[in-house]
Amino acid sequence: MADQGSLRADKKPPQQDGPKRFPAVLPEDVDLAGRRDERPTGKRFVWLAASVLALLLLSDWFILHASMGAAVLCGVAALALVVIPGVCAYRFLTQYLGPWKADALSQEERIALEYKGDEALALRAQRVQRAGSLLGRTEDEQPTGSASVLTSEEVAVLDAHRARETRATLDWLDAAEDPVSVRIAASDEARLVGHVFACAPSSRRWVVLVHDFEGDWTDALLHVRRYAERGFNVLVPELRAHHQSEGAYIGMGLLDAMDLVLWCRWIVRDMDEGARIVLHGQGMGAAAVCMAAAEKTLPSGVVAAVSDSGYSDAWNVILRGLRAMRLPAHLVLDVARLVLKLSPGGYDVASCDPAAAVVHAQVPMLYLQGEEDLVVPAYMGKRLYDATSGSAAGENKRLCMFRHAGHNSACFADPARYYHEVFAFVEPRC
């Protein structure tokens, strides 16, 4: 039975400091309840093509009737209808779906760390380097804007829990062996990189921790200690087109799903043929986990999947982001979709549909969702849960909603409950 709590999807966020990638207060017309979610139809692209063709025909007609001024205006309008959406789509594809190689540290943090400038910045940079961004930064420093809908009291609770988790993780890392980097080849020959923590060599328990969109593999350090203390060995892959892993475009979970299947096969083939494997992802990593969990080629050793802040479909998440950036969202996405499909290494972004995939889930599914998430709104977690069937039907699926939690921060809103739910779900299946 779902533990849904109160979704509070329509609560108006208070005015607070803005995050880096999403506005502090979303535009009034952004639908947090998902009532206007839609499936791509391409109608706007058809109307765009028809409008350009009509303007060109009209320009020819004016030329034939010696109305050169009107012909030029029609030609300029047709050109603008092609160029403006094209430029916006190109910017979207290169800036947001192109390979992500950015350092986990900001330029200011790097300078403070190398030249011993701002002491507070240098200390934060050290935390981020050792414990990853999700542990090393406070809530209002997170790039996904989860604090923008939270009160100052809620943020204080998250940061207090985060500080305790950070201290415990750093102590654990001091005593643990360094991870070992490994490489595999994807089905398209892209070289993928992963990092292995052999926390319990005698154990057959494994977990694959999957980071978020434009994330860093060190973000998974958020959960490594917790799993290690339960006797799990840990594999943390770098998703394709992130850092050392190759790929023409970020896969929004679609391309990553088969990559996760390959990583699971690698564990069974190279580490332990009797491994009992759990998939645990966050954000885009959670979407990849959901789609991987529906793959029939998934090894039988995969026993459960955990989706934290995973979206039900990429199309509507991207539309929300484009609207927040004040771009002509539908037109830009329609054009970008066509370009992406025709590009080498590209794909159809409309096929990134975890909710459709989990209808055929091959393993039990646990969904964890913050009620105040502005990046992946709470209704998407409920939509995933409702759609889940197959081997995850009945008691093999569970939804846990967390109040006072934004994107990827449910484990800080209530750490005791978060990890109780995770291990109560996965351990009996290992």
Side-chain angles (χ1 to χ4, degrees):
M1 181 176 178
D3 178 12
Q4 296 162 20
S6 171
L7 294 183
R8 295 189 292 168
D10 292 313
K11 189 175 85 170
K12 185 176 180 180
Q15 295 276 351
Q16 289 192 13
D17 293 337
K20 298 174 183 176
R21 207 174 292 147
F22 288 83
V25 178
L26 293 178
E28 291 291 337
D29 63 343
V30 170
D31 176 23
L32 291 178
R35 288 183 293 267
R36 295 203 310 272
D37 274 9
E38 59 189 73
R39 298 300 303 154
T41 64
K43 289 181 179 179
R44 290 175 178 82
F45 186 80
V46 172
W47 278 108
L48 173 66
S51 299
V52 170
L53 180 60
L55 284 169
L56 292 176
L57 291 174
L58 191 59
S59 177
D60 287 342
W61 187 85
F62 280 126
I63 290 173
L64 291 175
H65 291 77
S67 300
M68 295 304 298
V72 170
L73 285 176
C74 288
V76 169
L79 183 63
L81 283 178
V82 172
V83 171
I84 293 175
V87 169
C88 292
Y90 176 78
R91 180 188 170 216
F92 166 70
L93 289 175
T94 55
Q95 187 170 346
Y96 292 95
L97 291 187
W100 177 255
K101 308 297 182 184
D103 196 309
L105 299 180
S106 68
Q107 183 177 2
E108 293 79 7
E109 289 168 339
R110 177 67 65 187
I111 291 173
L113 186 63
E114 292 180 357
Y115 297 100
K116 310 300 180 184
D118 188 310
E119 185 176 350
L121 270 180
L123 287 173
R124 187 174 77 195
Q126 290 175 347
R127 287 198 307 273
V128 171
Q129 274 193 329
R130 294 190 61 208
S133 293
L134 294 182
L135 284 173
R137 303 186 194 281
T138 59
E139 188 68 14
D140 60 356
E141 295 164 350
Q142 296 298 323
T144 48
S146 54
S148 61
V149 76
L150 303 176
T151 66
S152 57
E153 291 80 10
E154 290 170 330
V155 170
V157 170
L158 294 180
D159 283 340
H161 290 155
R162 188 191 310 272
R164 284 194 288 271
E165 288 292 314
T166 302
R167 287 194 295 271
T169 298
L170 291 176
D171 289 342
W172 180 84
L173 286 170
D174 287 339
E177 294 185 6
D178 291 337
V180 176
S181 295
V182 294
R183 287 169 170 77
I184 63 171
S187 56
D188 60 354
E189 301 304 319
R191 303 298 295 178
L192 306 176
V193 176
H195 306 271
V196 175
F197 291 84
C199 308
S202 62
S203 172
R204 297 204 131 168
R205 289 180 170 181
W206 280 82
V207 62
V208 180
L209 296 175
V210 193
H211 65 75
D212 200 354
F213 174 80
E214 292 186 351
D216 187 276
W217 75 269
T218 59
D219 292 347
L221 292 173
L222 173 64
H223 300 304
V224 168
R225 175 183 65 88
R226 293 283 192 166
Y227 273 100
E229 290 173 348
R230 296 283 185 152
F232 283 80
N233 298 293
V234 181
L235 167 64
V236 186
E238 295 183 12
L239 295 179
R240 65 168 52 226
H242 284 77
H243 300 284
Q244 298 179 79
S245 287
E246 297 175 350
Y249 293 99
I250 292 176
M252 293 306 295
L254 177 67
L255 302 182
D256 310 292
M258 279 307 303
D259 295 342
L260 291 182
V261 171
L262 292 176
W263 279 118
C264 291
R265 289 179 180 174
W266 176 85
I267 291 174
V268 173
R269 184 187 70 237
D270 290 9
M271 304 303 292
D272 183 358
E273 63 180 3
R276 308 291 284 172
I277 304 169
V278 174
L279 297 172
H280 185 147
Q282 294 176 273
M284 189 186 83
V289 163
C290 289
M291 287 186 277
E295 290 291 338
K296 293 183 178 180
T297 55
L298 199 66
S300 59
V302 179
V303 296
V306 180
S307 168
D308 182 347
S309 305
Y311 44 79
S312 54
D313 72 286
W315 186 266
N316 285 288
V317 165
I318 294 172
L319 280 179
R320 284 168 49 78
L322 290 172
R323 289 193 194 106
M325 290 185 284
R326 306 293 184 179
L327 292 173
H330 293 91
L331 192 54
V332 169
L333 191 50
D334 279 338
V335 175
R337 178 191 180 191
L338 178 64
V339 175
L340 188 59
K341 286 172 67 175
L342 297 177
S343 299
Y347 58 97
D348 185 358
V349 70
S351 298
C352 301
D353 195 343
V358 294
V359 173
H360 310 288
Q362 305 294 307
V363 297
M365 301 291 303
L366 171 65
Y367 300 102
L368 308 165
Q369 179 66 49
E371 291 187 12
E372 314 301 340
D373 194 337
L374 292 184
V375 181
V376 177
Y379 72 84
M380 288 194 163
K382 177 66 164 55
R383 186 169 290 170
L384 282 168
Y385 172 82
D386 289 341
T388 301
S389 189
S391 298
E395 295 299 317
N396 281 330
K397 67 176 180 178
R398 180 164 173 76
L399 169 65
C400 301
M401 306 297 298
F402 289 80
R403 294 187 177 186
H404 320 302
H407 193 58
N408 292 334
S409 65
C411 58
F412 300 125
D414 191 344
R417 179 183 169 222
Y418 182 94
Y419 289 108
H420 170 77
E421 295 286 0
V422 168
F423 293 115
F425 190 83
V426 304
E427 282 191 317
R429 296 173 168 87
C430 290

